Amino acid sequence: MKITSDEVRHVAGLARLDLSDAEVDRMAGQLNVILAYVAKLDELDTTGVAVTTHTQQVVNAFREDAVRPSLPRERALSNGSDQNGESFVVPKVIG
């Protein structure tokens, strides 16, 4: 599979990137080198190799869920530069 300049332009357009012709050509070349490298993996004989989803066999590495007291509101709000006693006050961003 080879990436064409048109495909690079299409993806760049979807990402709202404005690439010059030189950048499109360079990107297509770099992507083709990457795809050629990945295609080499198809040459490997993986018969008898177990499917690996993780490098270590860790099962449920999460801590126990325990109810603990929350940070008091006053202490949390003391870290903000502007607050009204119940929440942080920030500039309006949606008109």
Side-chain angles (χ1 to χ4, degrees):
M1 178 178 183
K2 187 169 172 143
I3 300 293
T4 65
S5 295
D6 289 336
E7 290 171 320
V8 172
R9 282 187 188 89
H10 175 73
V11 173
L14 293 174
R16 305 288 192 260
L17 298 174
D18 186 21
L19 301 179
S20 68
D21 289 340
E23 289 171 321
V24 168
D25 292 339
R26 187 175 73 234
M27 186 67 63
Q30 290 173 348
L31 289 170
N32 283 317
V33 168
I34 293 169
L35 289 176
Y37 180 76
V38 172
K40 287 186 176 253
L41 295 175
D42 289 335
E43 300 172 10
L44 295 175
D45 180 18
T46 57
T47 305
V49 177
V51 175
T52 304
T53 57
H54 293 84
T55 58
Q56 301 173 354
Q57 296 303 319
V58 177
V59 178
N60 197 7
F62 303 109
R63 66 171 170 77
E64 288 294 318
D65 192 13
V67 177
R68 295 187 286 182
S70 299
L71 185 65
R73 180 181 297 182
E74 296 79 23
R75 186 165 172 219
L77 292 174
S78 69
N79 291 315
S81 60
D82 195 9
Q83 50 96 3
N84 63 11
E86 293 186 6
S87 60
F88 295 109
V89 177
V90 296
K92 188 175 184 178
V93 293
I94 299 177

